[in-house]
Amino acid sequence: MKAAMGTMDGIIDTVSAVHPLLPLIGLLKNNGKLVLVGAPEKPLELPVFPLLMGRKIVAGSVVGGMKETQEMIDFAGKHNITANVEVIPVDYVNTAMERLIKTDVRYRFVIDIANTLKSSS
């Protein structure tokens, strides 16, 4: 993260747990924007000084509709933005939940419904 300090125009923060915002704010360039779309159970601490000094913005957004979702997918495709995920079969969901509780998760879980449906046909 040190190498990326002050290099990002924007960050979309999807974390739904309490987490520090200061490291993310530090990654932003002057006039950068941090958009929170996760909904932590407890309030987050917002350090104001780095926002003021860098003219940085923190905003929030709920998930958009179909139009916004398609625009986001098109943007990601155009700029080769991908996600790191761990694809799991539906019968692994209970184990995945146990791993979440143990914080033994590196990437988002994606349940492979299509192959689950094919194997049960």
Side-chain angles (χ1 to χ4, degrees):
M1 295 231 338
K2 283 183 181 181
M5 296 299 278
T7 64
M8 299 188 178
D9 293 310
I11 297 172
I12 300 172
D13 181 354
T14 63
V15 178
S16 293
V18 174
H19 62 287
L21 295 178
L22 186 59
L24 298 177
I25 293 168
L27 294 172
L28 295 171
K29 293 178 181 177
N30 284 346
N31 300 308
K33 183 182 264 188
L34 172 61
V35 180
L36 306 173
V37 296
E41 194 174 297
K42 297 180 181 177
L44 298 175
E45 185 175 315
L46 182 61
V48 176
F49 192 72
L51 297 176
L52 299 173
M53 295 308 295
R55 298 181 313 274
K56 298 173 184 181
I57 297 169
V58 175
S61 177
V62 295
V63 177
M66 292 296 288
K67 180 180 179 277
E68 291 84 0
T69 301
Q70 187 61 55
E71 288 172 358
M72 184 266 315
I73 290 170
D74 292 344
F75 180 86
K78 179 180 176 183
H79 298 283
N80 197 30
I81 299 169
T82 61
N84 293 326
V85 298
E86 182 176 340
V87 179
I88 62 170
V90 73
D91 60 357
Y92 188 79
V93 169
N94 289 336
T95 303
M97 293 300 292
E98 291 169 9
R99 287 182 55 200
L100 282 169
I101 291 167
K102 294 177 188 173
T103 65
D104 175 35
V105 180
R106 183 159 181 188
Y107 306 113
R108 260 182 212 270
F109 286 123
V110 174
I111 303 169
D112 188 354
I113 298 296
N115 281 329
T116 301
L117 294 175
K118 284 180 189 174
S119 64
S120 63
S121 302

